[in-house]
Amino acid sequence: MVPHLATALTGPLLDLEKKILEATPAIERWFRLEWQEHTPPFYCSVDLRNAGYKLAPVDTNLFPGGFNNLSTEMLPLAVQAAMAAIDKYCPDARNLLMIPEVHTRNPMYLQNVARLMQIFRQTGLHVRLGSLSPEVTQPTPLALPDGNMLVVEPLVRSPNGRRVGLADFDPCTILLNNDLSAGIPSILENIHEQSLLPPLHAGWAMRRKSNHFKAFDEVAKKFGKLIEIDPWLVNPLHSKVGEIDLQDDVGTEQLADAVSALLSKIKKKYKEYGMKEQKPFVIVKPDAGTYGMGVMTIKDASEVRDLSRAQRNRMTVIKDGVAITDMIVQEGVPTFESINDAVAEPVVYMIDRYVVGGFYRVHAERGIDQNLNAPGSQYVPLAFAQQHAVPDLKAKPGTAAPNRFYVYGVVARLGLLAASLELERTDPNPEVY
């Protein structure tokens, strides 16, 4: 048992936990049927917020970069899930080309790449790394914190122009661990003879959070009907605001109105549930983007109008200098959980349709209503480490780690299912399938 679980299990998530546990057979059958209709993303991580009164996904990442934060005990599960995923796309696969982020000097990120390579080698694949960086013109070694080395190599297009690989390496499958924030590189376009996973339209060059949460609304409604709960208990309210340039004060009033409208909706929900102490807040963030950049916590619409010049500048560009033009206003879900007095949120990792582990993102300098995906955050493996995915139906609600983490896995898979709907609906070439 992981020592921090005493704090992780505090909080009155009891009714929801009880309902999900009682409905386990119905839930698992429902997921099984949904996966017959929809293809899950190749891999995915979901940031959850346990507020005590609700448990909701606040972000879904289709290019997860923290596999190194999962406990080693979960590796066999990850390998099995990876085998199932690879079987779908290329059952006789021998070679896997992995394309990591270009900022590959970050030692934590490099450890994530090494962990992914370890997982896929165990599935029986030769794994090599190809770089999108124009600076990588020959095999380039990168040192890992543990003394080992990774080698990234320049990508090459095959003479017929239909395949991508390395100079002496022709892969069946190409795995992107690069979220394409800077745009879609031409070398990855029009690949017809290899599986490119996730597809190009999953990257931030094309993906929009508003599409994801629109799909999540549908999934949450279905799930709410299935186990007879208010979908709001697993779903943050949200709205989208377009054509914004806060630096030049374009769209500020429109954004303030959206914040005001959403705060009113949240207040109504709080009143419905008799929550007098809880103060509503919203999170304003880019509709496209990652790394927790350009994220603000807002408690009153006036704060949008009164943004300082520095705040406006921070909300103007995100990773790779991409300009923010559309924003999403999302119901703020405070986190009830803490580890050693530091605010924490669970992050659940999946490969194909299977939960393969997770961790707590912990930040000692952030509040319960703030974004924790920021410099200074730390990672503590979840009790998924003990393979606690099987719930204990005899335990009282709120007392058993397996039950709490099973519930996390269920809500994270709702995010996974929403991502599969989102990718289907935004696919620019649906006839390919």
Side-chain angles (χ1 to χ4, degrees):
M1 184 60 71
V2 182
H4 62 262
L5 274 180
T7 55
L9 286 170
T10 58
L13 193 69
L14 308 186
D15 287 344
L16 184 59
E17 187 178 297
K18 189 165 179 280
K19 286 215 161 182
I20 287 176
L21 289 169
E22 285 172 351
T24 294
I27 290 169
E28 294 303 331
R29 179 176 181 272
W30 176 70
F31 272 126
R32 203 168 66 243
L33 295 176
E34 289 292 330
W35 296 131
Q36 287 174 18
E37 300 290 323
H38 308 287
T39 303
F42 187 80
Y43 53 9
C44 174
S45 69
V46 176
D47 296 0
L48 298 175
R49 283 287 183 120
N50 172 7
Y53 58 88
K54 77 185 286 178
L55 174 67
V58 292
D59 212 5
T60 299
N61 184 356
L62 297 179
F63 300 87
F67 277 92
N68 55 306
N69 296 318
L70 306 184
S71 67
T72 49
E73 292 93 332
M74 294 305 280
L75 274 178
L77 203 55
V79 170
Q80 284 179 321
M83 280 182 177
I86 289 288
D87 274 350
K88 276 186 188 171
Y89 297 98
C90 193
D92 57 350
R94 176 178 296 157
N95 295 335
L96 175 77
L97 176 66
M98 192 169 147
I99 300 179
E101 289 284 353
V102 174
H103 65 263
T104 44
R105 301 293 169 186
N106 177 336
M108 291 289 283
Y109 177 72
L110 289 178
Q111 284 179 304
N112 156 73
V113 172
R115 173 61 65 84
L116 276 168
M117 290 178 78
Q118 181 187 11
I119 289 168
F120 287 106
R121 278 180 179 145
Q122 286 296 114
T123 69
L125 292 168
H126 295 288
V127 188
R128 283 167 68 178
L129 300 176
S131 177
L132 289 169
S133 170
E135 293 165 22
V136 176
T137 56
Q138 60 185 31
T140 305
L142 300 168
L144 290 170
D146 61 7
N148 288 320
M149 283 281 188
L150 294 177
V151 177
V152 290
E153 302 175 64
L155 293 173
V156 294
R157 199 87 190 212
S158 65
N160 69 5
R162 296 176 66 84
R163 299 176 75 85
V164 168
L166 307 176
D168 59 345
F169 188 73
D170 182 24
C172 158
T173 307
I174 301 166
L175 179 65
L176 283 173
N177 197 243
N178 180 314
D179 62 27
L180 305 180
S181 291
I184 295 173
S186 56
I187 196 165
L188 294 182
E189 290 182 318
N190 302 313
I191 295 174
H192 301 297
E193 297 178 358
Q194 295 158 298
S195 297
L196 183 62
L197 305 167
L200 292 178
H201 68 282
W204 286 122
M206 295 171 71
R207 188 181 180 218
R208 297 295 176 264
K209 290 175 187 171
S210 49
N211 289 332
H212 176 77
F213 283 105
K214 193 175 168 189
F216 192 85
D217 285 344
E218 291 176 42
V219 170
K221 275 180 192 163
K222 275 189 175 181
F223 183 73
K225 195 173 178 185
L226 177 76
I227 69 167
E228 298 179 346
I229 60 162
D230 179 350
W232 178 73
L233 296 174
V234 294
N235 189 13
L237 300 169
H238 57 93
S239 64
K240 178 187 170 179
V241 185
E243 296 173 24
I244 285 179
D245 183 348
L246 292 180
Q247 206 167 28
D248 291 337
D249 205 18
V250 174
T252 304
E253 205 56 44
Q254 194 186 353
L255 182 60
D257 289 347
V259 166
S260 182
L262 201 66
L263 285 169
S264 296
K265 284 184 184 175
I266 300 167
K267 276 177 192 163
K268 273 188 188 169
K269 274 295 180 188
Y270 284 2
K271 193 174 178 187
E272 182 186 331
Y273 283 87
M275 292 160 51
K276 293 172 185 167
E277 303 300 314
Q278 189 65 45
K279 295 279 182 282
F281 66 97
V282 297
I283 300 294
V284 175
K285 54 189 176 182
D287 198 16
T290 184
Y291 286 12
M293 296 176 82
V295 178
M296 281 190 304
T297 299
I298 302 282
K299 296 177 182 175
D300 190 273
S302 62
E303 293 173 46
V304 175
R305 299 183 184 98
D306 299 338
L307 287 174
S308 68
R309 174 56 54 195
Q311 285 172 311
R312 287 176 187 275
N313 289 344
R314 277 200 300 274
M315 298 298 289
T316 304
V317 293
I318 49 168
K319 184 185 165 200
D320 294 324
V322 176
I324 298 173
T325 54
D326 299 315
M327 308 205 85
I328 186 166
V329 183
Q330 189 178 52
E331 175 188 351
V333 183
T335 177
F336 200 93
E337 297 191 281
S338 64
I339 294 174
N340 299 331
D341 298 324
V343 177
E345 65 185 8
V347 184
V348 177
Y349 272 59
M350 290 155 284
I351 296 177
D352 198 66
R353 63 191 208 184
Y354 306 103
V355 172
V356 297
F359 52 80
Y360 276 112
R361 183 183 286 122
V362 185
H363 206 303
E365 291 162 27
R366 293 278 169 132
I368 62 168
D369 57 359
Q370 289 180 296
N371 167 40
L372 304 188
N373 189 7
S377 57
Q378 295 177 300
Y379 305 94
V380 180
L382 278 176
F384 282 124
Q386 308 299 318
Q387 302 242 14
H388 276 337
V390 179
D392 176 2
L393 298 178
K394 293 177 184 170
K396 285 184 184 173
T399 62
N403 294 356
R404 176 57 49 91
F405 295 116
Y406 172 72
V407 170
Y408 286 169
V410 168
V411 178
R413 282 182 287 161
L414 297 179
L416 183 73
L417 180 55
S420 71
L421 297 178
E422 169 201 0
L423 289 178
E424 280 171 25
R425 290 167 187 177
T426 56
D427 189 346
N429 301 301
E431 69 276 6
V432 170
Y433 299 105

